[in-house]
Amino acid sequence: MRPARALIDLDALRHNYRLARRRHGSRALAVVKANAYGHGAVRCARALAGEADGFAVAFLEEALELRAAGIVGPILLLEGVFEAPELDAAATHGLWLVVHHEAQLRMLEATPLAAPVDVWLKINTGMNRAGFLPDAVEAAWRRLRACGKVGEIALMTHFARADEPQVITTAEQIARFDAATVHLPGARSLANSGAILGWPQARRDWARPGILLYGASPLAATDGGLQPVMTLESTVMAVREIAPGEALGYGERFVAERPTRVGLVALGYADGYPRTVPDGTPVSIDGAPARLIGRVSMDMLTVDLSALPGAGIGSRVELWGKEVAVNRVAQAAGTIAYELLCNVKRVRFEYCG
């Protein structure tokens, strides 16, 4: 059996949720969209079902997968619905809806429903991606209230730069939100992962922790006490020595400056490890720090074993996890941990905790 695997630590997931809820001081929706950021939505939701206040997904199909798996708590559709028949499905399955633009509001007003739905009305406070402008929020709220198809109405916004505590954008967005909603009743939700960790001013009735649930802090300066949930690992499948001046791999990017002992590892970019990482990207081999050398291939990559005489065929190689922070690999690849975690595939998923 090919040794590449993603080990998912569900105890770490629960730890991170508890940390988020404690830090925020109020209820929290565990965001499990995009297959729980690549970790397995059903398994993660089941692991949190005993303590999470609810869940958030991107769209209806993701929510129905959780309902079919026995998840009975609140589930919020962050993108709302796209077609009128989805409204009936949402009502039937007790889903909460984000309403963030005029067409969705008109659709809700025009569609008969078997039961009322709870709505989270989204306000565009500066990200300019989704949401009603502040001067249109009160009218939208009144239309929701008047249509007779809505139960509770919560108020939400989303931050553009909450992962940058030194930038004033988030404070400005909070002020716009408060000004736009001052006369409206209902629960509030502002804090995403970055705001939970870095913006106490954003704490309201509901938090929406996403990436921090999976152990990766969106704030560059701190991990916030988080525990990594996914460990991506494989083993050394072959060893060879190359002499000074010899090149390694596609494009001959790495050229040995000294005798180099090379380990061939059974994992590559088709499994989700980024092809763009440079020589020197950190890995861990049998628990010891080491480095990647040579260009990542589709199914394999190569590591430097020169300083590890005891390592060889069968040695465990961690690409990220408890020994190598996924944020370090993401930085080396010029991307973010979100993308790396969501792209893991083709490997064996194993769950513990």
Side-chain angles (χ1 to χ4, degrees):
M1 180 183 295
R2 187 169 183 253
R5 71 170 183 166
L7 178 63
I8 309 300
D9 184 344
L10 298 174
D11 281 337
L13 178 72
R14 285 185 283 265
H15 165 86
N16 296 337
Y17 176 82
R18 292 167 191 149
L19 184 150
R21 200 181 189 285
R22 185 170 62 250
R23 183 73 64 90
H24 184 258
S26 188
R27 293 173 290 179
L29 294 178
V31 181
V32 293
K33 64 180 180 177
N35 196 30
Y37 292 53
H39 293 68
V42 168
R43 294 295 297 265
C44 289
R46 284 175 172 166
L48 292 171
E51 53 190 294
D53 299 304
F55 298 93
V57 297
F59 48 84
L60 178 65
E61 289 82 0
E62 290 184 331
L64 295 182
E65 179 186 28
L66 297 186
R67 285 286 189 250
I71 302 301
V72 298
I75 302 175
L76 175 68
L77 306 185
L78 291 168
E79 294 180 359
V81 297
F82 298 89
E83 300 174 327
E86 294 182 335
L87 283 170
D88 190 58
T92 299
H93 291 278
L95 306 176
W96 298 353
L97 308 177
V98 170
V99 171
H100 59 82
H101 63 92
E102 174 66 24
Q104 286 179 329
L105 180 51
R106 289 199 305 268
M107 189 189 309
L108 185 55
E109 290 173 320
T111 304
L113 295 180
V117 292
D118 288 349
V119 164
W120 287 38
L121 179 60
K122 190 167 191 175
I123 300 145
N124 173 17
T125 56
M127 189 166 179
N128 293 320
R129 190 180 65 176
F132 291 86
L133 289 170
D135 60 5
V137 170
E138 188 167 343
W141 186 94
R142 295 191 183 284
R143 287 169 62 186
L144 287 170
R145 191 79 286 155
C147 75
K149 301 164 188 176
V150 173
E152 298 295 324
I153 303 175
L155 302 163
M156 70 179 295
T157 195
H158 193 57
F159 295 130
R161 303 182 71 175
D163 55 344
E164 300 174 88
Q166 73 281 9
V167 176
I168 66 168
T169 300
T170 301
E172 293 172 343
Q173 287 192 252
I174 293 170
R176 291 187 197 112
F177 178 89
D178 288 341
T181 62
V182 64
H183 299 301
L184 299 177
R188 268 75 166 153
S189 177
L190 281 74
N192 57 2
S193 291
I196 290 168
L197 296 174
W199 290 91
Q201 312 93 302
R203 294 169 186 167
R204 296 293 193 276
D205 303 287
W206 286 93
R208 306 187 308 274
I211 191 66
L212 76 77
L213 290 179
Y214 308 101
S217 172
L219 275 61
T222 177
D223 66 6
L226 302 172
Q227 296 178 3
V229 175
M230 179 191 289
T231 296
L232 182 65
E233 64 181 29
S234 189
T235 63
V236 174
M237 59 189 286
V239 178
R240 73 171 56 247
E241 303 244 2
I242 60 174
E246 288 189 320
L248 173 66
Y250 286 119
E252 298 185 330
R253 184 182 72 183
F254 176 82
V255 179
E257 296 179 352
R258 53 177 168 73
T260 302
R261 191 163 169 262
V262 178
L264 182 63
V265 180
L267 192 141
Y269 63 77
D271 305 299
Y273 191 81
R275 181 178 178 272
T276 54
V277 294
D279 296 329
T281 297
V283 300
S284 177
I285 301 175
D286 291 335
R291 63 175 184 150
L292 178 143
I293 53 175
R295 189 175 292 169
V296 176
S297 303
M298 182 179 290
D299 311 298
M300 295 175 283
L301 54 82
T302 43
V303 295
D304 188 351
L305 302 179
S306 303
L308 302 170
I313 293 174
S315 286
R316 172 185 171 271
V317 181
E318 179 182 297
L319 288 313
W320 65 66
K322 298 188 185 329
E323 297 159 11
V324 178
V326 66
N327 278 343
R328 292 183 66 192
V329 182
Q331 183 178 22
T335 185
I336 54 176
Y338 304 70
E339 181 179 12
L340 298 192
L341 295 171
C342 286
N343 282 344
V344 174
K345 55 188 179 296
R346 245 182 33 148
V347 303
R348 187 171 70 258
F349 276 70
E350 298 180 7
Y351 293 83
C352 65

